[in-house]
Coordinates of all heavy atoms in Angstrom, one line a residue:
Chain A
P195 N -12.1 -39.1 1.5 CA -11.8 -40.5 2.0 C -11.6 -41.5 0.9 O -12.0 -41.2 -0.2 CB -13.1 -40.8 2.8 CG -14.1 -39.8 2.5 CD -13.5 -38.7 1.8
G196 N -10.9 -42.6 1.2 CA -10.7 -43.6 0.3 C -9.3 -43.6 -0.3 O -8.5 -42.7 0.0
L197 N -9.0 -44.6 -1.1 CA -7.7 -44.8 -1.6 C -7.1 -43.7 -2.4 O -6.0 -43.3 -2.3 CB -7.7 -46.1 -2.4 CG -7.1 -47.4 -1.8 CD1 -7.2 -48.6 -2.7 CD2 -5.7 -47.2 -1.2
D198 N -8.0 -43.2 -3.3 CA -7.5 -42.2 -4.2 C -7.9 -40.8 -3.8 O -8.0 -39.8 -4.5 CB -8.0 -42.4 -5.6 CG -7.5 -43.7 -6.2 OD1 -6.3 -44.1 -5.9 OD2 -8.3 -44.5 -6.8
G199 N -8.2 -40.7 -2.5 CA -8.8 -39.4 -1.9 C -7.9 -38.2 -2.1 O -8.4 -37.1 -2.2
A200 N -6.6 -38.4 -2.3 CA -5.7 -37.3 -2.5 C -5.8 -36.7 -3.9 O -5.3 -35.6 -4.1 CB -4.3 -37.6 -2.1
G201 N -6.4 -37.4 -4.8 CA -6.6 -36.9 -6.1 C -5.5 -37.4 -7.1 O -4.8 -38.4 -6.8
R202 N -5.3 -36.6 -8.1 CA -4.4 -37.0 -9.2 C -3.0 -36.5 -8.8 O -2.8 -35.4 -8.3 CB -4.9 -36.2 -10.4 CG -4.3 -36.6 -11.7 CD -5.1 -36.0 -12.9 NE -5.1 -34.6 -12.9 CZ -4.1 -33.8 -13.5 NH1 -3.2 -34.4 -14.2 NH2 -4.2 -32.5 -13.5
K203 N -2.0 -37.3 -9.2 CA -0.6 -36.9 -9.0 C -0.3 -35.9 -10.1 O -0.4 -36.2 -11.3 CB 0.3 -38.1 -9.1 CG 1.8 -37.8 -8.9 CD 2.6 -39.1 -8.7 CE 4.0 -38.8 -9.2 NZ 4.8 -40.1 -9.1
V204 N 0.2 -34.8 -9.7 CA 0.5 -33.8 -10.8 C 2.0 -33.5 -11.0 O 2.4 -33.0 -12.0 CB -0.2 -32.4 -10.5 CG1 -1.7 -32.6 -10.5 CG2 0.2 -31.8 -9.1
S205 N 2.8 -33.8 -10.0 CA 4.2 -33.7 -10.2 C 5.0 -34.3 -9.0 O 4.4 -34.7 -8.0 CB 4.6 -32.2 -10.4 OG 4.8 -31.6 -9.2
T206 N 6.3 -34.3 -9.2 CA 7.2 -34.8 -8.2 C 8.3 -33.7 -7.9 O 8.8 -33.1 -8.9 CB 7.9 -36.1 -8.6 OG1 6.9 -37.1 -8.9 CG2 8.8 -36.6 -7.6
I207 N 8.6 -33.5 -6.7 CA 9.6 -32.5 -6.3 C 10.8 -33.2 -5.7 O 10.7 -34.0 -4.8 CB 9.1 -31.5 -5.3 CG1 7.9 -30.8 -5.9 CG2 10.1 -30.5 -4.9 CD1 7.2 -29.8 -5.0
G208 N 12.0 -32.9 -6.3 CA 13.2 -33.5 -5.8 C 14.1 -32.5 -5.0 O 13.7 -31.4 -4.7
A209 N 15.3 -33.0 -4.7 CA 16.2 -32.1 -3.9 C 16.4 -30.8 -4.5 O 16.5 -30.7 -5.8 CB 17.6 -32.8 -3.7
G210 N 16.4 -29.7 -3.8 CA 16.5 -28.4 -4.3 C 15.2 -27.7 -4.6 O 15.1 -26.5 -4.8
G211 N 14.1 -28.5 -4.7 CA 12.8 -28.0 -4.9 C 12.2 -27.5 -3.6 O 12.7 -27.7 -2.6
S212 N 11.1 -26.8 -3.8 CA 10.4 -26.3 -2.6 C 8.9 -26.2 -2.8 O 8.5 -26.3 -3.9 CB 11.0 -24.9 -2.2 OG 10.8 -24.0 -3.3
F213 N 8.2 -26.2 -1.7 CA 6.7 -26.1 -1.8 C 6.1 -25.4 -0.6 O 6.7 -25.3 0.4 CB 6.1 -27.5 -2.1 CG 6.5 -28.5 -1.1 CD1 5.8 -28.7 0.1 CD2 7.6 -29.3 -1.3 CE1 6.2 -29.6 1.0 CE2 8.0 -30.3 -0.4 CZ 7.3 -30.5 0.8
G214 N 4.9 -24.9 -0.8 CA 4.1 -24.3 0.3 C 4.5 -22.9 0.6 O 4.2 -22.4 1.7
E215 N 4.9 -22.1 -0.4 CA 5.4 -20.8 -0.1 C 4.3 -19.8 0.2 O 4.5 -18.8 1.0 CB 6.2 -20.2 -1.3 CG 5.4 -20.0 -2.6 CD 6.3 -19.8 -3.8 OE1 7.3 -19.1 -3.7 OE2 5.9 -20.3 -4.8
L216 N 3.0 -20.1 -0.2 CA 2.0 -19.1 0.2 C 1.8 -19.1 1.7 O 1.4 -18.0 2.2 CB 0.6 -19.5 -0.5 CG -0.5 -18.5 -0.4 CD1 -0.1 -17.2 -1.0 CD2 -1.8 -19.1 -1.0
A217 N 2.2 -20.1 2.4 CA 2.1 -20.2 3.8 C 3.0 -19.1 4.5 O 2.8 -18.7 5.6 CB 2.4 -21.6 4.4
L218 N 4.0 -18.6 3.7 CA 4.8 -17.6 4.3 C 4.1 -16.2 4.2 O 4.6 -15.3 4.8 CB 6.2 -17.5 3.5 CG 7.1 -18.7 3.7 CD1 8.4 -18.5 2.9 CD2 7.4 -18.9 5.2
M219 N 3.0 -16.1 3.5 CA 2.4 -14.8 3.4 C 1.2 -14.8 4.3 O 1.0 -13.8 5.1 CB 1.9 -14.6 1.9 CG 3.1 -14.6 1.0 SD 2.7 -14.1 -0.7 CE 2.2 -12.4 -0.5
Y220 N 0.3 -15.7 4.3 CA -0.8 -15.8 5.2 C -1.3 -17.2 5.3 O -0.9 -18.1 4.5 CB -1.9 -14.8 4.8 CG -2.3 -14.9 3.3 CD1 -3.2 -15.8 2.8 CD2 -1.7 -14.0 2.4 CE1 -3.5 -15.9 1.5 CE2 -2.0 -14.1 1.0 CZ -2.9 -15.1 0.6 OH -3.2 -15.1 -0.8

Side-chain angles (χ1 to χ4, degrees):
Chain A
L197 260 182
D198 299 321
R202 190 168 64 90
K203 180 171 152 183
V204 295
S205 87
T206 299
I207 299 177
S212 57
F213 52 89
E215 64 193 324
L216 190 60
L218 292 180
M219 299 186 68
Y220 47 84

